[in-house]
Amino acid sequence: MTSAQELPIEGDAAARTPDPTADVRLAWLHLRLGMLAPAAAELEELHHRGALDRDGLAALAEVRWRTGDLDGAGEAARAHRAAGGVEPIATVVAAEAAAAAGDVATARQLVDGLRRLDAATLDALFAGMPRKASWPAAPSEPAPASSPATGSSGPATAAAPGAGLGLGGAGTAAMTGPGPTNATRSVPGPSEVMASTPELWPAGAGPEPEGASTGA
């Protein structure tokens, strides 16, 4: 007859059983923080235990890819997709593995499956990793609008030294010609001086027309 002391305690057994969900979350956290060594060790151990679900296989594919094991990464990516997974990172890894193995048709099919992603999202998925498959290039920048002043639709070129400063550069012509008729002078003329100080001048003395002393 088994004594009460020999019976397993359900709570203790549960406490000793590893929680794969918590372990997977920790591995995901390490992967997202760029801590590839602990993430790889944790995900490989979970895979050995058979504790990785479909999304965990995508994480395993990514960490293997980023740590240089493209063959193993492709295997995990294909397992993720075979289980019905649609994680873009797994498709990227599968395409890269196919391209590295020389399976151009499969790589092209996988690349075409991610055509909906824009260039910025694709760059974020690669995060600096080299590309082996033929991924679409980023769209070219639109040409700048034509300038009203020059009519040019190309990129702006550097102006010549002194341009627009009346120094003989490209913009000198725009600075020549008569100025505005209502321009204000910083130095007052004779008329303004006499008008502002009438007590200093004899009665009847009028302002001499400007330019009269020069015989103009």
Side-chain angles (χ1 to χ4, degrees):
M1 180 176 179
T2 304
S3 63
Q5 289 80 2
E6 295 175 352
L7 292 175
I9 302 175
E10 184 177 353
D12 291 345
R16 289 193 301 268
T17 303
D19 180 4
T21 305
D23 291 343
V24 170
R25 283 200 299 264
L26 181 61
W28 265 107
L29 178 61
H30 286 153
L31 179 59
R32 295 280 72 82
L33 292 175
M35 302 170 65
L36 298 181
E42 291 156 356
L43 287 167
E44 292 290 357
E45 195 272 335
L46 287 165
H47 181 55
H48 180 72
R49 285 163 42 193
L52 288 181
D53 60 4
R54 185 173 60 190
D55 292 339
L57 289 170
L60 180 64
E62 180 179 359
V63 78
R64 284 177 174 177
W65 175 48
R66 297 196 187 282
T67 53
D69 182 10
L70 185 55
D71 291 338
E75 179 184 349
R78 290 189 293 272
H80 167 81
R81 291 173 55 82
V86 292
E87 286 292 331
I89 189 63
T91 304
V92 166
V93 172
E96 291 292 288
D103 190 351
V104 179
T106 300
R108 183 180 297 114
Q109 181 181 8
L110 292 165
V111 169
D112 288 343
L114 293 179
R115 292 286 182 181
R116 69 185 187 279
L117 301 182
D118 58 24
T121 302
L122 199 59
D123 287 344
L125 288 173
F126 273 90
M129 293 291 291
R131 306 186 186 193
K132 300 182 181 298
S134 297
W135 296 96
S140 57
E141 293 293 330
S146 299
S147 170
T150 63
S152 171
S153 60
T157 56
L165 300 178
L167 302 178
T172 303
M175 300 296 293
T176 60
T181 57
N182 60 346
T184 303
R185 294 184 298 184
S186 60
V187 180
S191 299
E192 287 87 348
V193 173
M194 295 182 69
S196 62
T197 57
E199 69 279 1
L200 300 179
W201 307 99
E208 182 180 1
E210 295 183 32
S213 58
T214 62

mmCIF file of all heavy atoms in Angstrom, residues 62 65-66 88-89 92 114 117-131 135-139 141:
data_model
loop_
_atom_site.group_PDB
_atom_site.id
_atom_site.type_symbol
_atom_site.label_atom_id
_atom_site.label_comp_id
_atom_site.label_asym_id
_atom_site.label_seq_id
_atom_site.Cartn_x
_atom_site.Cartn_y
_atom_site.Cartn_z
ATOM 1 N N GLU A 62 13.866 32.440 -38.589
ATOM 2 C CA GLU A 62 14.510 33.752 -38.602
ATOM 3 C C GLU A 62 15.840 33.732 -37.857
ATOM 4 O O GLU A 62 16.847 34.265 -38.342
ATOM 5 C CB GLU A 62 13.579 34.799 -37.994
ATOM 6 C CG GLU A 62 14.186 36.193 -37.982
ATOM 7 C CD GLU A 62 13.267 37.245 -37.407
ATOM 8 O OE1 GLU A 62 12.127 36.903 -37.028
ATOM 9 O OE2 GLU A 62 13.688 38.414 -37.320
ATOM 10 N N TRP A 65 18.511 31.936 -39.769
ATOM 11 C CA TRP A 65 18.940 32.758 -40.908
ATOM 12 C C TRP A 65 19.899 33.852 -40.458
ATOM 13 O O TRP A 65 20.949 34.058 -41.063
ATOM 14 C CB TRP A 65 17.697 33.333 -41.575
ATOM 15 C CG TRP A 65 17.926 34.298 -42.696
ATOM 16 C CD1 TRP A 65 18.777 34.146 -43.759
ATOM 17 C CD2 TRP A 65 17.271 35.555 -42.875
ATOM 18 N NE1 TRP A 65 18.680 35.238 -44.594
ATOM 19 C CE2 TRP A 65 17.764 36.106 -44.074
ATOM 20 C CE3 TRP A 65 16.304 36.253 -42.157
ATOM 21 C CZ2 TRP A 65 17.338 37.346 -44.558
ATOM 22 C CZ3 TRP A 65 15.874 37.464 -42.629
ATOM 23 C CH2 TRP A 65 16.383 38.019 -43.822
ATOM 24 N N ARG A 66 19.538 34.531 -39.388
ATOM 25 C CA ARG A 66 20.354 35.658 -38.936
ATOM 26 C C ARG A 66 21.669 35.211 -38.287
ATOM 27 O O ARG A 66 22.577 36.032 -38.137
ATOM 28 C CB ARG A 66 19.557 36.526 -37.963
ATOM 29 C CG ARG A 66 18.327 37.171 -38.596
ATOM 30 C CD ARG A 66 17.763 38.309 -37.778
ATOM 31 N NE ARG A 66 16.513 38.784 -38.341
ATOM 32 C CZ ARG A 66 16.410 39.589 -39.410
ATOM 33 N NH1 ARG A 66 17.501 40.000 -40.013
ATOM 34 N NH2 ARG A 66 15.225 39.977 -39.852
ATOM 35 N N PRO A 88 5.426 36.699 -43.048
ATOM 36 C CA PRO A 88 6.291 37.181 -44.141
ATOM 37 C C PRO A 88 7.762 36.831 -43.948
ATOM 38 O O PRO A 88 8.457 36.530 -44.924
ATOM 39 C CB PRO A 88 6.058 38.697 -44.123
ATOM 40 C CG PRO A 88 4.708 38.876 -43.523
ATOM 41 C CD PRO A 88 4.581 37.788 -42.507
ATOM 42 N N ILE A 89 8.244 36.866 -42.703
ATOM 43 C CA ILE A 89 9.655 36.574 -42.484
ATOM 44 C C ILE A 89 9.978 35.141 -42.883
ATOM 45 O O ILE A 89 11.075 34.858 -43.406
ATOM 46 C CB ILE A 89 10.040 36.845 -41.008
ATOM 47 C CG1 ILE A 89 11.554 36.763 -40.826
ATOM 48 C CG2 ILE A 89 9.328 35.882 -40.072
ATOM 49 C CD1 ILE A 89 12.328 37.801 -41.592
ATOM 50 N N VAL A 92 10.280 35.086 -46.624
ATOM 51 C CA VAL A 92 11.573 35.663 -47.010
ATOM 52 C C VAL A 92 12.678 34.630 -46.852
ATOM 53 O O VAL A 92 13.515 34.436 -47.747
ATOM 54 C CB VAL A 92 11.864 36.925 -46.172
ATOM 55 C CG1 VAL A 92 13.323 37.347 -46.309
ATOM 56 C CG2 VAL A 92 10.958 38.068 -46.590
ATOM 57 N N LEU A 114 5.115 37.960 -51.991
ATOM 58 C CA LEU A 114 5.278 39.117 -51.100
ATOM 59 C C LEU A 114 5.249 40.433 -51.863
ATOM 60 O O LEU A 114 5.716 41.447 -51.363
ATOM 61 C CB LEU A 114 6.604 38.994 -50.328
ATOM 62 C CG LEU A 114 6.679 37.858 -49.315
ATOM 63 C CD1 LEU A 114 8.048 37.849 -48.644
ATOM 64 C CD2 LEU A 114 5.588 37.979 -48.258
ATOM 65 N N LEU A 117 4.066 43.768 -50.252
ATOM 66 C CA LEU A 117 4.879 44.522 -49.302
ATOM 67 C C LEU A 117 5.614 45.640 -50.019
ATOM 68 O O LEU A 117 6.165 45.432 -51.101
ATOM 69 C CB LEU A 117 5.889 43.602 -48.612
ATOM 70 C CG LEU A 117 5.324 42.422 -47.814
ATOM 71 C CD1 LEU A 117 6.464 41.639 -47.165
ATOM 72 C CD2 LEU A 117 4.340 42.904 -46.752
ATOM 73 N N ASP A 118 5.629 46.820 -49.406
ATOM 74 C CA ASP A 118 6.385 47.911 -50.009
ATOM 75 C C ASP A 118 7.868 47.754 -49.687
ATOM 76 O O ASP A 118 8.280 46.898 -48.908
ATOM 77 C CB ASP A 118 5.853 49.269 -49.550
ATOM 78 C CG ASP A 118 5.884 49.425 -48.034
ATOM 79 O OD1 ASP A 118 6.690 48.746 -47.375
ATOM 80 O OD2 ASP A 118 5.096 50.229 -47.501
ATOM 81 N N ALA A 119 8.679 48.601 -50.314
ATOM 82 C CA ALA A 119 10.132 48.479 -50.172
ATOM 83 C C ALA A 119 10.579 48.706 -48.737
ATOM 84 O O ALA A 119 11.504 48.041 -48.253
ATOM 85 C CB ALA A 119 10.829 49.466 -51.108
ATOM 86 N N ALA A 120 9.932 49.634 -48.030
ATOM 87 C CA ALA A 120 10.333 49.934 -46.655
ATOM 88 C C ALA A 120 10.081 48.731 -45.740
ATOM 89 O O ALA A 120 10.914 48.396 -44.889
ATOM 90 C CB ALA A 120 9.580 51.155 -46.141
ATOM 91 N N THR A 121 8.940 48.065 -45.919
ATOM 92 C CA THR A 121 8.637 46.885 -45.102
ATOM 93 C C THR A 121 9.603 45.752 -45.404
ATOM 94 O O THR A 121 10.075 45.053 -44.501
ATOM 95 C CB THR A 121 7.193 46.433 -45.353
ATOM 96 O OG1 THR A 121 6.298 47.519 -45.056
ATOM 97 C CG2 THR A 121 6.829 45.243 -44.491
ATOM 98 N N LEU A 122 9.931 45.581 -46.674
ATOM 99 C CA LEU A 122 10.871 44.539 -47.060
ATOM 100 C C LEU A 122 12.261 44.810 -46.473
ATOM 101 O O LEU A 122 12.936 43.903 -45.976
ATOM 102 C CB LEU A 122 10.936 44.445 -48.582
ATOM 103 C CG LEU A 122 11.510 43.158 -49.182
ATOM 104 C CD1 LEU A 122 10.710 41.951 -48.733
ATOM 105 C CD2 LEU A 122 11.538 43.258 -50.695
ATOM 106 N N ASP A 123 12.667 46.061 -46.508
ATOM 107 C CA ASP A 123 13.959 46.423 -45.914
ATOM 108 C C ASP A 123 13.969 46.136 -44.413
ATOM 109 O O ASP A 123 14.982 45.699 -43.857
ATOM 110 C CB ASP A 123 14.259 47.900 -46.161
ATOM 111 C CG ASP A 123 14.626 48.184 -47.606
ATOM 112 O OD1 ASP A 123 14.946 47.222 -48.334
ATOM 113 O OD2 ASP A 123 14.596 49.361 -48.014
ATOM 114 N N ALA A 124 12.848 46.403 -43.750
ATOM 115 C CA ALA A 124 12.773 46.150 -42.314
ATOM 116 C C ALA A 124 12.859 44.658 -42.017
ATOM 117 O O ALA A 124 13.456 44.247 -41.016
ATOM 118 C CB ALA A 124 11.474 46.725 -41.750
ATOM 119 N N LEU A 125 12.293 43.820 -42.879
ATOM 120 C CA LEU A 125 12.369 42.375 -42.674
ATOM 121 C C LEU A 125 13.807 41.878 -42.842
ATOM 122 O O LEU A 125 14.276 41.045 -42.068
ATOM 123 C CB LEU A 125 11.443 41.651 -43.654
ATOM 124 C CG LEU A 125 9.938 41.773 -43.387
ATOM 125 C CD1 LEU A 125 9.154 41.142 -44.531
ATOM 126 C CD2 LEU A 125 9.572 41.097 -42.070
ATOM 127 N N PHE A 126 14.508 42.384 -43.835
ATOM 128 C CA PHE A 126 15.891 41.961 -44.049
ATOM 129 C C PHE A 126 16.812 42.540 -42.978
ATOM 130 O O PHE A 126 17.739 41.867 -42.525
ATOM 131 C CB PHE A 126 16.364 42.379 -45.438
ATOM 132 C CG PHE A 126 16.047 41.372 -46.504
ATOM 133 C CD1 PHE A 126 14.860 41.443 -47.203
ATOM 134 C CD2 PHE A 126 16.932 40.352 -46.799
ATOM 135 C CE1 PHE A 126 14.553 40.514 -48.181
ATOM 136 C CE2 PHE A 126 16.640 39.419 -47.770
ATOM 137 C CZ PHE A 126 15.443 39.497 -48.469
ATOM 138 N N ALA A 127 16.585 43.780 -42.582
ATOM 139 C CA ALA A 127 17.375 44.408 -41.518
ATOM 140 C C ALA A 127 18.873 44.255 -41.751
ATOM 141 O O ALA A 127 19.627 43.892 -40.856
ATOM 142 C CB ALA A 127 16.983 43.836 -40.158
ATOM 143 N N GLY A 128 19.287 44.499 -42.991
ATOM 144 C CA GLY A 128 20.706 44.462 -43.296
ATOM 145 C C GLY A 128 21.232 43.123 -43.770
ATOM 146 O O GLY A 128 22.407 43.024 -44.143
ATOM 147 N N MET A 129 20.423 42.082 -43.751
ATOM 148 C CA MET A 129 20.882 40.776 -44.217
ATOM 149 C C MET A 129 21.080 40.799 -45.735
ATOM 150 O O MET A 129 20.328 41.454 -46.459
ATOM 151 C CB MET A 129 19.868 39.692 -43.843
ATOM 152 C CG MET A 129 19.743 39.437 -42.353
ATOM 153 S SD MET A 129 21.217 38.667 -41.652
ATOM 154 C CE MET A 129 21.143 37.040 -42.393
ATOM 155 N N PRO A 130 22.103 40.091 -46.247
ATOM 156 C CA PRO A 130 22.312 40.059 -47.702
ATOM 157 C C PRO A 130 21.167 39.340 -48.402
ATOM 158 O O PRO A 130 20.519 38.461 -47.832
ATOM 159 C CB PRO A 130 23.634 39.292 -47.850
ATOM 160 C CG PRO A 130 23.749 38.477 -46.599
ATOM 161 C CD PRO A 130 23.110 39.298 -45.512
ATOM 162 N N ARG A 131 20.934 39.723 -49.640
ATOM 163 C CA ARG A 131 19.826 39.157 -50.408
ATOM 164 C C ARG A 131 20.364 38.267 -51.521
ATOM 165 O O ARG A 131 21.247 38.675 -52.277
ATOM 166 C CB ARG A 131 18.960 40.276 -50.990
ATOM 167 C CG ARG A 131 18.476 41.254 -49.940
ATOM 168 C CD ARG A 131 17.500 42.270 -50.495
ATOM 169 N NE ARG A 131 17.170 43.282 -49.496
ATOM 170 C CZ ARG A 131 16.168 44.145 -49.609
ATOM 171 N NH1 ARG A 131 15.402 44.131 -50.682
ATOM 172 N NH2 ARG A 131 15.933 45.021 -48.651
ATOM 173 N N TRP A 135 14.769 40.187 -55.459
ATOM 174 C CA TRP A 135 13.691 40.964 -54.851
ATOM 175 C C TRP A 135 13.483 42.241 -55.636
ATOM 176 O O TRP A 135 14.431 42.785 -56.220
ATOM 177 C CB TRP A 135 14.029 41.282 -53.405
ATOM 178 C CG TRP A 135 14.127 40.073 -52.543
ATOM 179 C CD1 TRP A 135 15.268 39.391 -52.214
ATOM 180 C CD2 TRP A 135 13.053 39.362 -51.933
ATOM 181 N NE1 TRP A 135 14.963 38.305 -51.431
ATOM 182 C CE2 TRP A 135 13.609 38.257 -51.242
ATOM 183 C CE3 TRP A 135 11.674 39.555 -51.898
ATOM 184 C CZ2 TRP A 135 12.841 37.362 -50.530
ATOM 185 C CZ3 TRP A 135 10.900 38.654 -51.180
ATOM 186 C CH2 TRP A 135 11.478 37.578 -50.516
ATOM 187 N N PRO A 136 12.246 42.756 -55.677
ATOM 188 C CA PRO A 136 12.006 44.004 -56.420
ATOM 189 C C PRO A 136 12.771 45.154 -55.801
ATOM 190 O O PRO A 136 12.896 45.251 -54.580
ATOM 191 C CB PRO A 136 10.480 44.198 -56.304
ATOM 192 C CG PRO A 136 10.087 43.411 -55.082
ATOM 193 C CD PRO A 136 11.022 42.241 -55.024
ATOM 194 N N ALA A 137 13.284 45.997 -56.667
ATOM 195 C CA ALA A 137 14.017 47.171 -56.188
ATOM 196 C C ALA A 137 13.027 48.213 -55.705
ATOM 197 O O ALA A 137 11.849 48.228 -56.085
ATOM 198 C CB ALA A 137 14.874 47.752 -57.311
ATOM 199 N N ALA A 138 13.510 49.116 -54.864
ATOM 200 C CA ALA A 138 12.675 50.204 -54.369
ATOM 201 C C ALA A 138 12.305 51.110 -55.530
ATOM 202 O O ALA A 138 13.109 51.339 -56.434
ATOM 203 C CB ALA A 138 13.417 51.001 -53.294
ATOM 204 N N PRO A 139 11.066 51.631 -55.574
ATOM 205 C CA PRO A 139 10.676 52.524 -56.662
ATOM 206 C C PRO A 139 11.546 53.762 -56.677
ATOM 207 O O PRO A 139 11.957 54.260 -55.637
ATOM 208 C CB PRO A 139 9.207 52.860 -56.346
ATOM 209 C CG PRO A 139 9.070 52.602 -54.882
ATOM 210 C CD PRO A 139 10.010 51.468 -54.568
ATOM 211 N N GLU A 141 12.709 57.614 -57.059
ATOM 212 C CA GLU A 141 12.115 58.835 -56.538
ATOM 213 C C GLU A 141 11.469 59.618 -57.673
ATOM 214 O O GLU A 141 12.023 59.707 -58.773
ATOM 215 C CB GLU A 141 13.198 59.708 -55.876
ATOM 216 C CG GLU A 141 13.794 59.089 -54.621
ATOM 217 C CD GLU A 141 12.770 59.015 -53.510
ATOM 218 O OE1 GLU A 141 11.879 59.880 -53.489
ATOM 219 O OE2 GLU A 141 12.860 58.111 -52.668
#
